[in-house]
Amino acid sequence: MSTSGSQLKTVSIREGVASPWIYSPWLDLVVGCGAWSAPLLLLSYFALGTSARTWAVAFYGLAFVFNYPHYMATIYRAYHRAEDFQKYRIFTVHITALLVLTMLLSHVWPRILPWIFTIYLTWSPWHYSGQNYGLFMMFARRAGAQPEKAERRALYGAFVVSYLVLFLGFHTGPSADPLFLSLGIPAVVSRWEQALLILAFVVLSVFGLSRLARMTGWRKLGPSLTLFSTQCLWFLLPAGLSLIRGVEMPQSRYSTGVLAIMHSAQYLWITSYYARREASSEQILGEGVRNWRPLAYFAMLVAGGIALFVPGPWLASRVFHHDFTNSFLIFTALVNIHHFILDGAIWKLRDGRIAALLLNSRERISDAAAGAGSGMAAAWQWLVGSTSGARALRVGAALMLLAWGSVDQLRFYLALRTDNLQDLQRAARLDSMDSRLQMRLAQRELAAGQAGPAEAAWKKAIESNPADPAPRQALLQFLIDRSRFEEAFELTEASLKYFPKDANLLVDRGLLELRKGHASEAIASWQQALVVDPGHALAHFYLAEELDHEGRAKLAAAHYDAFLQQIARQPKQQRPAADKVIAILIRMADCQVRASEKSDAIRSYRLAESLAAQTQQEKLESVADVNEAALQAQQGDSADALHLYQEALRLDEKTADRVGGAQDWLAYGHFLEEQGFAARLAYACFVKARNLTGSDSTDVSREAAEAAKALEHENLRNIAALRGDLEPAWREALALRQ
């Protein structure tokens, strides 16, 4: 409920001020004012980390008794009286029709779903904030406060500022959720803006609350202050945790989790009170309305809520073979947006009827429209009437919806039982057009050794949602793992007919072309992928590898560099492992050496060495050291080369890497020989390399033996003395300085 920006002059029922409470102090404070926020937020935070599936089922069940009915409460408020229907016709008819068209369009064109969902997730906390502000002002006025424009603006500003703090948190940096399109505000900018907004919140709050307290005293403002603390918990606490401890709040969890439950319960609390008062006032005015029955009212809200959310996705998946999950997300987002628009229009304290019923004023409640005799109104009057036919229709529809809702609950529960193959199969039998369910089913079938059913489930997932790359990628990997390359290629080609500009598909086709031995076609596919998406990291990587293999070092180095730049922009958790990044840096540097880009190569080697040292990848650090040492020696910088060779050998000894150590001792021996150091030291290095290879007949072993033998012939007298004890020579070689 949004009651912001209201101006109202009220007359009390009696001298003084009526009771501030709606139902009772404990219910009003706990549910209406959100006093249960702190314990419920703590419970959900710790419980979701330990039993996410249990809580997912619990939240889905609670949606039936809180979330869904609270949407229906707004529908009931806007549509059940002909005069209200006519009064808000722009919202009840025209905007509703526009959203229905959007719903149909989004089923045909799934690419607009992220835009719709982003609007929904961003608008949700604004809607929560508007409801909190409206209830805050309602309680303040019921307590006797008559705030002037300055107080109202300050307090409204505080609520707006608290929302903006959360808004900045939502839209800072890139989004990790494919359904949420973040504005990508830089973190540094966002943090400073949030800090300034929090300061503004404090100033506005102190001014507005202190002025309000002068009118009533702090004690009478208890309900309003509780609501104000709820606003702080819902909006400023997540931002504070993010600023101080770097704890991020996912947009979807914030807008659809425990806060949505508390908001919905709060909404039902106030709308049920309003509906009861409205029924009583109509009875007093002689409009022939029966006594208000809370159970019947709530049953109507539950059945109506189910009607808003459940039949649509089921019918879309069954009749039109649309993905159930996507359809559910579309209905969720658009029903919410419709609710936000309609709610913002009808719940205003400046509306005389609303004010009279919520503030206990004597204002005349008589805005019934004289010409409410339209066909729609007459049909509605018959439906809510007391005839046996209308009663049977209502009861039958309610029972059908409750049964449908129960089946939906059962299916949701079974679909989450990822460790139970039979339950997943039962869920699929209830509705098979669900790509996420079919993905879980395929993984479970494969784990059970049922390759055929797993393949069928992936194909069903692709049929349900052709735009989702996940099932296609899983099926491709399945076919490749079983060496069914031709089928994998055919799947890729078939998919490209529908999605010719899908960069991932083009990359996959390139890999399959390469497996068939068509290197030029593979390169063409990867280049085409980069035309579609110049920042596609894997396309750069595969191009670099193939160009490197073909000896086109300059181009390969450029694509390695582009790949590394792309992954540097990704969130840390999405980047490749450090050892893979270091290996690619070394390969890029090797390409730069062959392309005569020596200074670039040295920078690349040093970056690899630095990253390897930071991540304790000693073997890779040793490789980078030796490669740079060889390059430095070619450049004439023998002092740096000497130091790098020695550092590499120390790392080899630390990691007990016999193979790498043998290669590095051999390279170091050649370096010492070329630089004119004592022959006995080079000889000692060759012998060390041969000793590390043992009896293995490797290229390194043979080369080391031949190099040592050549030095023996040339320097027999100087070397003969070393044969008994080479240890001093090895230590001397490692301690050389230049």
Side-chain angles (χ1 to χ4, degrees), residues 15 17 24 33 124 148 151 156 216 234 284 294 397 474 517 565 590 633 652 667 671 675 702 725:
E15 198 72 29
V17 180
S24 64
C33 301
S124 288
E148 298 296 330
E151 292 91 57
Y156 183 65
T216 65
W234 289 11
I284 291 170
Q565 288 183 31
D590 293 344
D652 294 336
F671 169 76
Q675 295 297 318
R702 286 193 294 273
D725 185 9

PDB file of all heavy atoms in Angstrom, residues 15 17 24 33 124 148 151 156 216 234 284 294 397 474 517 565 590 633 652 667 671 675 702 725:
ATOM      1  N   GLU A  15     -14.045  14.252  20.875  1.00  0.00           N
ATOM      2  CA  GLU A  15     -13.060  15.215  21.341  1.00  0.00           C
ATOM      3  C   GLU A  15     -11.802  14.454  21.697  1.00  0.00           C
ATOM      4  O   GLU A  15     -11.834  13.442  22.390  1.00  0.00           O
ATOM      5  CB  GLU A  15     -13.594  15.946  22.585  1.00  0.00           C
ATOM      6  CG  GLU A  15     -12.836  17.242  22.872  1.00  0.00           C
ATOM      7  CD  GLU A  15     -13.154  18.313  21.868  1.00  0.00           C
ATOM      8  OE1 GLU A  15     -14.270  18.308  21.326  1.00  0.00           O
ATOM      9  OE2 GLU A  15     -12.279  19.146  21.624  1.00  0.00           O
ATOM     10  N   VAL A  17      -8.343  12.249  20.533  1.00  0.00           N
ATOM     11  CA  VAL A  17      -7.839  11.396  19.462  1.00  0.00           C
ATOM     12  C   VAL A  17      -8.278   9.972  19.715  1.00  0.00           C
ATOM     13  O   VAL A  17      -8.244   9.480  20.832  1.00  0.00           O
ATOM     14  CB  VAL A  17      -6.295  11.467  19.391  1.00  0.00           C
ATOM     15  CG1 VAL A  17      -5.786  10.571  18.269  1.00  0.00           C
ATOM     16  CG2 VAL A  17      -5.848  12.898  19.156  1.00  0.00           C
ATOM     17  N   SER A  24      -4.931  -4.748  17.451  1.00  0.00           N
ATOM     18  CA  SER A  24      -4.491  -4.809  18.845  1.00  0.00           C
ATOM     19  C   SER A  24      -3.024  -4.410  18.866  1.00  0.00           C
ATOM     20  O   SER A  24      -2.332  -4.523  17.845  1.00  0.00           O
ATOM     21  CB  SER A  24      -4.666  -6.231  19.402  1.00  0.00           C
ATOM     22  OG  SER A  24      -3.828  -7.143  18.705  1.00  0.00           O
ATOM     23  N   CYS A  33       3.650  -3.026  11.886  1.00  0.00           N
ATOM     24  CA  CYS A  33       4.812  -2.142  11.996  1.00  0.00           C
ATOM     25  C   CYS A  33       6.134  -2.865  11.760  1.00  0.00           C
ATOM     26  O   CYS A  33       7.193  -2.250  11.802  1.00  0.00           O
ATOM     27  CB  CYS A  33       4.832  -1.461  13.362  1.00  0.00           C
ATOM     28  SG  CYS A  33       3.354  -0.478  13.696  1.00  0.00           S
ATOM     29  N   SER A 124      10.339  -3.228  -6.597  1.00  0.00           N
ATOM     30  CA  SER A 124       9.823  -3.875  -5.377  1.00  0.00           C
ATOM     31  C   SER A 124      10.185  -3.123  -4.106  1.00  0.00           C
ATOM     32  O   SER A 124       9.307  -2.797  -3.297  1.00  0.00           O
ATOM     33  CB  SER A 124      10.320  -5.319  -5.292  1.00  0.00           C
ATOM     34  OG  SER A 124       9.691  -6.128  -6.242  1.00  0.00           O
ATOM     35  N   GLU A 148       2.881  19.459   9.205  1.00  0.00           N
ATOM     36  CA  GLU A 148       2.841  20.463   8.148  1.00  0.00           C
ATOM     37  C   GLU A 148       3.716  19.999   6.981  1.00  0.00           C
ATOM     38  O   GLU A 148       4.329  18.934   7.022  1.00  0.00           O
ATOM     39  CB  GLU A 148       3.335  21.809   8.701  1.00  0.00           C
ATOM     40  CG  GLU A 148       2.492  22.365   9.824  1.00  0.00           C
ATOM     41  CD  GLU A 148       1.068  22.689   9.371  1.00  0.00           C
ATOM     42  OE1 GLU A 148       0.893  23.027   8.170  1.00  0.00           O
ATOM     43  OE2 GLU A 148       0.143  22.596  10.196  1.00  0.00           O
ATOM     44  N   GLU A 151       7.478  19.018   7.730  1.00  0.00           N
ATOM     45  CA  GLU A 151       7.687  17.716   8.367  1.00  0.00           C
ATOM     46  C   GLU A 151       7.414  16.576   7.389  1.00  0.00           C
ATOM     47  O   GLU A 151       8.148  15.592   7.325  1.00  0.00           O
ATOM     48  CB  GLU A 151       6.777  17.557   9.583  1.00  0.00           C
ATOM     49  CG  GLU A 151       7.108  18.475  10.736  1.00  0.00           C
ATOM     50  CD  GLU A 151       6.348  19.781  10.647  1.00  0.00           C
ATOM     51  OE1 GLU A 151       5.097  19.777  10.585  1.00  0.00           O
ATOM     52  OE2 GLU A 151       7.031  20.824  10.614  1.00  0.00           O
ATOM     53  N   TYR A 156       9.191  12.096   4.287  1.00  0.00           N
ATOM     54  CA  TYR A 156       9.100  11.402   3.012  1.00  0.00           C
ATOM     55  C   TYR A 156      10.484  11.315   2.365  1.00  0.00           C
ATOM     56  O   TYR A 156      10.866  10.286   1.785  1.00  0.00           O
ATOM     57  CB  TYR A 156       8.137  12.137   2.090  1.00  0.00           C
ATOM     58  CG  TYR A 156       7.918  11.452   0.764  1.00  0.00           C
ATOM     59  CD1 TYR A 156       7.311  10.201   0.688  1.00  0.00           C
ATOM     60  CD2 TYR A 156       8.319  12.061  -0.425  1.00  0.00           C
ATOM     61  CE1 TYR A 156       7.107   9.568  -0.528  1.00  0.00           C
ATOM     62  CE2 TYR A 156       8.120  11.433  -1.644  1.00  0.00           C
ATOM     63  CZ  TYR A 156       7.516  10.189  -1.684  1.00  0.00           C
ATOM     64  OH  TYR A 156       7.322   9.567  -2.886  1.00  0.00           O
ATOM     65  N   THR A 216       2.864  15.224  19.567  1.00  0.00           N
ATOM     66  CA  THR A 216       2.202  14.122  20.263  1.00  0.00           C
ATOM     67  C   THR A 216       2.971  13.576  21.456  1.00  0.00           C
ATOM     68  O   THR A 216       2.402  12.887  22.302  1.00  0.00           O
ATOM     69  CB  THR A 216       1.985  12.951  19.288  1.00  0.00           C
ATOM     70  OG1 THR A 216       3.256  12.447  18.877  1.00  0.00           O
ATOM     71  CG2 THR A 216       1.207  13.386  18.067  1.00  0.00           C
ATOM     72  N   TRP A 234      15.229  -2.850   6.770  1.00  0.00           N
ATOM     73  CA  TRP A 234      15.012  -3.368   5.418  1.00  0.00           C
ATOM     74  C   TRP A 234      15.927  -2.713   4.390  1.00  0.00           C
ATOM     75  O   TRP A 234      16.323  -3.362   3.423  1.00  0.00           O
ATOM     76  CB  TRP A 234      13.557  -3.141   4.983  1.00  0.00           C
ATOM     77  CG  TRP A 234      12.560  -3.998   5.699  1.00  0.00           C
ATOM     78  CD1 TRP A 234      12.774  -4.781   6.798  1.00  0.00           C
ATOM     79  CD2 TRP A 234      11.177  -4.155   5.365  1.00  0.00           C
ATOM     80  NE1 TRP A 234      11.614  -5.410   7.178  1.00  0.00           N
ATOM     81  CE2 TRP A 234      10.610  -5.047   6.313  1.00  0.00           C
ATOM     82  CE3 TRP A 234      10.356  -3.642   4.370  1.00  0.00           C
ATOM     83  CZ2 TRP A 234       9.271  -5.424   6.283  1.00  0.00           C
ATOM     84  CZ3 TRP A 234       9.022  -4.012   4.337  1.00  0.00           C
ATOM     85  CH2 TRP A 234       8.482  -4.894   5.282  1.00  0.00           C
ATOM     86  N   ILE A 284     -24.159   0.550   6.984  1.00  0.00           N
ATOM     87  CA  ILE A 284     -24.757   1.708   7.667  1.00  0.00           C
ATOM     88  C   ILE A 284     -25.488   2.601   6.667  1.00  0.00           C
ATOM     89  O   ILE A 284     -26.567   3.132   6.934  1.00  0.00           O
ATOM     90  CB  ILE A 284     -23.672   2.508   8.412  1.00  0.00           C
ATOM     91  CG1 ILE A 284     -23.143   1.687   9.593  1.00  0.00           C
ATOM     92  CG2 ILE A 284     -24.205   3.856   8.882  1.00  0.00           C
ATOM     93  CD1 ILE A 284     -21.916   2.284  10.241  1.00  0.00           C
ATOM     94  N   PRO A 294     -14.534 -12.546   7.741  1.00  0.00           N
ATOM     95  CA  PRO A 294     -13.085 -12.595   7.486  1.00  0.00           C
ATOM     96  C   PRO A 294     -12.627 -13.867   6.793  1.00  0.00           C
ATOM     97  O   PRO A 294     -11.763 -13.816   5.926  1.00  0.00           O
ATOM     98  CB  PRO A 294     -12.471 -12.464   8.892  1.00  0.00           C
ATOM     99  CG  PRO A 294     -13.568 -12.801   9.837  1.00  0.00           C
ATOM    100  CD  PRO A 294     -14.838 -12.407   9.173  1.00  0.00           C
ATOM    101  N   ALA A 397     -15.235 -22.802  -8.435  1.00  0.00           N
ATOM    102  CA  ALA A 397     -13.997 -22.169  -8.906  1.00  0.00           C
ATOM    103  C   ALA A 397     -12.933 -22.163  -7.815  1.00  0.00           C
ATOM    104  O   ALA A 397     -11.749 -22.433  -8.068  1.00  0.00           O
ATOM    105  CB  ALA A 397     -14.292 -20.742  -9.365  1.00  0.00           C
ATOM    106  N   ALA A 474      25.074 -28.636 -22.416  1.00  0.00           N
ATOM    107  CA  ALA A 474      25.174 -29.922 -21.715  1.00  0.00           C
ATOM    108  C   ALA A 474      25.050 -31.084 -22.696  1.00  0.00           C
ATOM    109  O   ALA A 474      25.800 -32.067 -22.612  1.00  0.00           O
ATOM    110  CB  ALA A 474      24.094 -30.010 -20.643  1.00  0.00           C
ATOM    111  N   GLY A 517      39.493 -31.770 -38.237  1.00  0.00           N
ATOM    112  CA  GLY A 517      40.701 -31.469 -38.996  1.00  0.00           C
ATOM    113  C   GLY A 517      40.580 -30.279 -39.909  1.00  0.00           C
ATOM    114  O   GLY A 517      41.453 -30.039 -40.747  1.00  0.00           O
ATOM    115  N   GLN A 565      42.857  -9.733 -21.111  1.00  0.00           N
ATOM    116  CA  GLN A 565      42.167  -8.487 -20.763  1.00  0.00           C
ATOM    117  C   GLN A 565      40.699  -8.739 -20.433  1.00  0.00           C
ATOM    118  O   GLN A 565      40.141  -8.116 -19.520  1.00  0.00           O
ATOM    119  CB  GLN A 565      42.281  -7.499 -21.920  1.00  0.00           C
ATOM    120  CG  GLN A 565      43.678  -6.916 -22.104  1.00  0.00           C
ATOM    121  CD  GLN A 565      43.723  -5.896 -23.224  1.00  0.00           C
ATOM    122  OE1 GLN A 565      42.747  -5.210 -23.496  1.00  0.00           O
ATOM    123  NE2 GLN A 565      44.855  -5.804 -23.900  1.00  0.00           N
ATOM    124  N   ASP A 590      56.107 -16.241 -24.969  1.00  0.00           N
ATOM    125  CA  ASP A 590      56.863 -17.030 -25.950  1.00  0.00           C
ATOM    126  C   ASP A 590      56.527 -16.593 -27.373  1.00  0.00           C
ATOM    127  O   ASP A 590      57.415 -16.499 -28.228  1.00  0.00           O
ATOM    128  CB  ASP A 590      56.554 -18.520 -25.776  1.00  0.00           C
ATOM    129  CG  ASP A 590      57.070 -19.082 -24.465  1.00  0.00           C
ATOM    130  OD1 ASP A 590      57.925 -18.423 -23.835  1.00  0.00           O
ATOM    131  OD2 ASP A 590      56.610 -20.167 -24.057  1.00  0.00           O
ATOM    132  N   ALA A 633      69.489 -13.007 -21.711  1.00  0.00           N
ATOM    133  CA  ALA A 633      70.821 -13.359 -22.206  1.00  0.00           C
ATOM    134  C   ALA A 633      70.968 -12.965 -23.674  1.00  0.00           C
ATOM    135  O   ALA A 633      72.012 -12.444 -24.093  1.00  0.00           O
ATOM    136  CB  ALA A 633      71.065 -14.856 -22.024  1.00  0.00           C
ATOM    137  N   ASP A 652      63.032 -24.925  -8.172  1.00  0.00           N
ATOM    138  CA  ASP A 652      62.980 -26.351  -8.528  1.00  0.00           C
ATOM    139  C   ASP A 652      63.333 -27.219  -7.333  1.00  0.00           C
ATOM    140  O   ASP A 652      62.700 -28.254  -7.076  1.00  0.00           O
ATOM    141  CB  ASP A 652      63.948 -26.651  -9.674  1.00  0.00           C
ATOM    142  CG  ASP A 652      63.532 -25.972 -10.972  1.00  0.00           C
ATOM    143  OD1 ASP A 652      62.332 -25.681 -11.114  1.00  0.00           O
ATOM    144  OD2 ASP A 652      64.403 -25.726 -11.830  1.00  0.00           O
ATOM    145  N   ALA A 667      69.903 -25.824 -19.062  1.00  0.00           N
ATOM    146  CA  ALA A 667      69.896 -24.479 -19.649  1.00  0.00           C
ATOM    147  C   ALA A 667      70.916 -23.579 -18.957  1.00  0.00           C
ATOM    148  O   ALA A 667      71.607 -22.783 -19.620  1.00  0.00           O
ATOM    149  CB  ALA A 667      68.492 -23.879 -19.539  1.00  0.00           C
ATOM    150  N   PHE A 671      74.201 -21.619 -20.511  1.00  0.00           N
ATOM    151  CA  PHE A 671      74.385 -20.185 -20.291  1.00  0.00           C
ATOM    152  C   PHE A 671      75.786 -19.894 -19.745  1.00  0.00           C
ATOM    153  O   PHE A 671      76.482 -18.993 -20.234  1.00  0.00           O
ATOM    154  CB  PHE A 671      73.316 -19.666 -19.322  1.00  0.00           C
ATOM    155  CG  PHE A 671      73.557 -18.273 -18.827  1.00  0.00           C
ATOM    156  CD1 PHE A 671      73.303 -17.167 -19.627  1.00  0.00           C
ATOM    157  CD2 PHE A 671      74.070 -18.054 -17.543  1.00  0.00           C
ATOM    158  CE1 PHE A 671      73.543 -15.878 -19.156  1.00  0.00           C
ATOM    159  CE2 PHE A 671      74.302 -16.774 -17.070  1.00  0.00           C
ATOM    160  CZ  PHE A 671      74.035 -15.678 -17.883  1.00  0.00           C
ATOM    161  N   GLN A 675      78.676 -17.710 -21.604  1.00  0.00           N
ATOM    162  CA  GLN A 675      79.127 -16.462 -20.990  1.00  0.00           C
ATOM    163  C   GLN A 675      80.593 -16.512 -20.564  1.00  0.00           C
ATOM    164  O   GLN A 675      81.109 -15.525 -20.031  1.00  0.00           O
ATOM    165  CB  GLN A 675      78.245 -16.133 -19.784  1.00  0.00           C
ATOM    166  CG  GLN A 675      76.792 -15.843 -20.136  1.00  0.00           C
ATOM    167  CD  GLN A 675      76.629 -14.614 -21.023  1.00  0.00           C
ATOM    168  OE1 GLN A 675      77.288 -13.593 -20.818  1.00  0.00           O
ATOM    169  NE2 GLN A 675      75.767 -14.736 -22.029  1.00  0.00           N
ATOM    170  N   ARG A 702      70.079 -37.171 -22.590  1.00  0.00           N
ATOM    171  CA  ARG A 702      71.071 -37.374 -23.644  1.00  0.00           C
ATOM    172  C   ARG A 702      71.862 -36.106 -23.916  1.00  0.00           C
ATOM    173  O   ARG A 702      73.094 -36.134 -24.050  1.00  0.00           O
ATOM    174  CB  ARG A 702      70.373 -37.838 -24.922  1.00  0.00           C
ATOM    175  CG  ARG A 702      69.904 -39.297 -24.875  1.00  0.00           C
ATOM    176  CD  ARG A 702      69.517 -39.783 -26.256  1.00  0.00           C
ATOM    177  NE  ARG A 702      68.352 -39.080 -26.768  1.00  0.00           N
ATOM    178  CZ  ARG A 702      67.095 -39.447 -26.538  1.00  0.00           C
ATOM    179  NH1 ARG A 702      66.838 -40.524 -25.799  1.00  0.00           N
ATOM    180  NH2 ARG A 702      66.089 -38.757 -27.039  1.00  0.00           N
ATOM    181  N   ASP A 725      83.601 -35.147  -6.054  1.00  0.00           N
ATOM    182  CA  ASP A 725      82.693 -34.336  -5.232  1.00  0.00           C
ATOM    183  C   ASP A 725      82.273 -33.098  -6.025  1.00  0.00           C
ATOM    184  O   ASP A 725      83.036 -32.133  -6.140  1.00  0.00           O
ATOM    185  CB  ASP A 725      83.389 -33.923  -3.928  1.00  0.00           C
ATOM    186  CG  ASP A 725      82.440 -33.174  -2.988  1.00  0.00           C
ATOM    187  OD1 ASP A 725      81.229 -33.147  -3.291  1.00  0.00           O
ATOM    188  OD2 ASP A 725      82.925 -32.629  -1.981  1.00  0.00           O
TER     189      ASP A 725
END
